[in-house]
Amino acid sequence: MEKDEEQKRIEGDIEGLTSDCKRLEGLNALITGGSQGIGRRIALEFANEGADVAINDLSSQKEKANLVAQYIEGELGRDTWIAEGDVSDLDDMKKVREQVEENFGTIDILINNAGINRDSLFFKMEKEDWDKVLSVNLDGVFNTTKAFLDHVRESDQGRIINMSSVIGESGNIGQANYASSKAGMIGFTKALAREVVRDDVTVNAVAPGFVATRMVEDIPEKVKEKIIAQIPFGRFAEPREVARTVCFLASNDASYITGEVIRMNGGYYM
Ligand code: NAD
């Protein structure tokens, strides 16, 4: 049942691939949290643009990651590798790097996409929920970038793209931990962009508003209606819209853009 549902989602994604440019030909990308949602869509769009794609995710996501890999190889004709590992664990990410080097190659484009939320009002928030969100969303960016930065620096088209969120700029009730992690990613993006600009590596963040993935599907219907009422576009973003922006930042068309935060929130926060 779960697998059929996943298959339908991926088939919908594949049908929706529109670009016939091959802007990422000859490049290798690693996408953390790449087996579902926004990460999966980025993986498919990248493969469609000619990149070979390593998919990182937790071991519990193995089946979903396999399915994405199957479509990348079968339908889109690109190489892929499943790089199982927990981004919040530096040793895991070092092992992922070794496996990627052995079985896939070096990484030109790193997409720090893996992320979680554990929402509650701050006065009820447990330290554990704070630590968990910060360790995946922010330490995860440190660990993965630490493991792969020298690959990216050696590339002729080195790119690091961090998946932040509008919440990192606007704040949100019940999301002190999530907002802090996503704001932290913006600071990280700007600092690292300055450090690696001489290596021709660009570092940018994308800050989507609410995107129609499982993370948002889980929000109660009444709350969803209230959120949509505050979005001038009157709808959530599609994962495709976020993934296309990430493709642009990864491409040579964005060669002079660094240290930027690309907001894409349908006018929710300007
Ligand atoms: P999702 O929950 O559908 O996917 C997240 C993926 O990350 C999953 O595959 C999950 O297994 C993986 N992941 C979680 N913890 C991990 C870990 N420790 N190590 C490796 N992988 C891990 O979420 P999504 O909606 O696709 O979100 C993707 C990113 O976009 C997240 O960083 C999220 O914060 C951000 N974002 C989402 C929205 C939205 O509305 N959906 C809006 C703005 C930003």
Side-chain angles (χ1 to χ4, degrees):
M1 176 65 193
E2 173 74 2
K3 192 167 175 189
D4 288 350
E5 172 63 24
E6 281 306 300
Q7 208 141 355
K8 268 191 228 151
R9 284 178 190 246
I10 294 192
E11 277 163 13
D13 282 348
I14 297 273
E15 274 170 28
L17 294 171
T18 49
S19 172
D20 54 8
C21 310
K22 288 281 177 254
R23 291 183 297 179
L24 305 181
E25 194 104 66
L27 299 172
N28 288 342
L30 172 75
I31 299 159
T32 68
S35 68
Q36 70 175 49
I38 296 170
R40 176 177 71 203
R41 187 67 196 222
I42 295 170
L44 297 174
E45 294 281 353
F46 270 30
N48 190 48
E49 291 261 11
D52 292 326
V53 182
I55 303 159
N56 155 263
D57 215 306
L58 297 168
S59 53
S60 55
Q61 294 281 88
K62 200 177 200 137
E63 275 194 26
K64 287 184 190 170
N66 278 332
L67 209 52
V68 181
Q70 196 181 306
Y71 276 84
I72 288 178
E73 280 178 2
E75 299 284 323
L76 302 170
R78 305 309 317 177
D79 275 351
T80 184
W81 174 258
I82 297 173
E84 209 173 278
D86 181 340
V87 296
S88 67
D89 181 335
L90 180 58
D91 289 338
D92 247 26
M93 295 322 285
K94 286 182 180 164
K95 279 185 214 141
V96 164
R97 176 204 155 110
E98 281 167 24
Q99 288 167 9
V100 165
E101 275 177 357
E102 238 174 76
N103 300 287
F104 181 74
T106 58
I107 297 301
D108 304 282
I109 306 166
L110 170 61
I111 311 295
N112 284 312
N113 165 78
I116 58 166
N117 59 322
R118 295 276 183 281
D119 300 348
S120 69
L121 293 175
F122 183 70
F123 78 92
K124 287 190 195 161
M125 190 176 283
E126 302 288 343
K127 180 68 165 52
E128 202 187 328
D129 294 328
W130 172 270
D131 289 342
K132 183 70 190 163
V133 169
L134 269 290
S135 75
V136 175
N137 296 8
L138 197 52
D139 292 358
V141 173
F142 175 90
N143 297 336
T144 314
T145 309
K146 196 80 185 163
F148 286 97
L149 184 61
D150 56 353
H151 282 198
V152 177
R153 288 175 85 166
E154 279 161 23
S155 169
D156 292 334
Q157 195 171 314
R159 299 278 189 269
I160 298 173
I161 301 163
N162 299 317
M163 194 56 64
S164 181
S165 164
V166 67
I167 305 301
E169 294 193 287
S170 66
N172 197 23
I173 291 171
Q175 293 200 299
N177 48 1
Y178 186 78
S180 303
S181 70
K182 295 299 179 181
M185 284 172 83
I186 292 175
F188 175 82
T189 298
K190 294 182 181 186
L192 189 66
R194 289 182 187 278
E195 289 188 25
V196 296
V197 70
R198 292 288 163 91
D199 302 311
D200 271 342
V201 173
T202 70
V203 187
N204 291 291
V206 174
F210 296 85
V211 188
T213 67
R214 279 188 174 78
M215 201 178 251
V216 161
E217 279 168 21
D218 290 345
I219 300 174
E221 216 45 53
K222 283 204 164 158
V223 181
K224 267 194 223 167
E225 283 167 19
K226 279 191 188 157
I227 298 170
I228 287 178
Q230 295 172 59
I231 303 173
F233 252 103
R235 65 170 176 85
F236 295 136
E238 294 297 330
R240 179 189 65 82
E241 294 172 305
V242 181
R244 295 301 307 150
T245 300
V246 175
C247 276
F248 163 68
L249 286 173
S251 77
N252 203 33
D253 295 341
S255 52
Y256 201 59
I257 300 178
T258 197
E260 275 300 332
V261 183
I262 309 291
R263 292 177 181 160
M264 36 182 328
N265 55 51
Y268 174 82
Y269 180 82
M270 298 183 194

